[in-house]
Amino acid sequence: MKKQIQHEIQPDWWSKSFAGWILGLSLSVALASFITMWGVNHLDKSLAPQVGMWSVPWLYLPLVFIAYFIPKGWQAVLIYSVFNCIAYGILLGIRG
């Protein structure tokens, strides 16, 4: 039982890097926009953009980290693209 049934992490760094660094950044900006929109209603008007702006690195770095643990690069790109489409679709639907 040395080798359990596991999927080996593939070394396709270019696609995983693209998913994490580029698509992760756009997803973190969309999520920070949600935080800013929430902050406008619940925080001081001048504080809400700052909270949204400073939340980007806290969201961005874990997204980059997670991208390298997805088994295949094309899966990482697909997952991050779908999450981006959902996030921006909801964001545009809310903002009008």
Side-chain angles (χ1 to χ4, degrees), residues 26 29-35 37 84-96:
S26 65
V29 168
L31 296 175
S33 297
F34 287 123
I35 292 171
M37 288 172 32
N84 269 306
C85 289
I86 291 170
Y88 280 103
I90 293 171
L91 187 65
L92 292 175
I94 290 173
R95 295 204 59 185

Side-chain angles (χ1 to χ4, degrees), residues 36-53:
T36 303
M37 288 172 32
W38 172 83
V40 167
N41 296 327
H42 295 88
L43 299 173
D44 187 38
K45 299 283 187 202
S46 62
L47 184 63
Q50 291 293 316
V51 172
M53 179 184 70

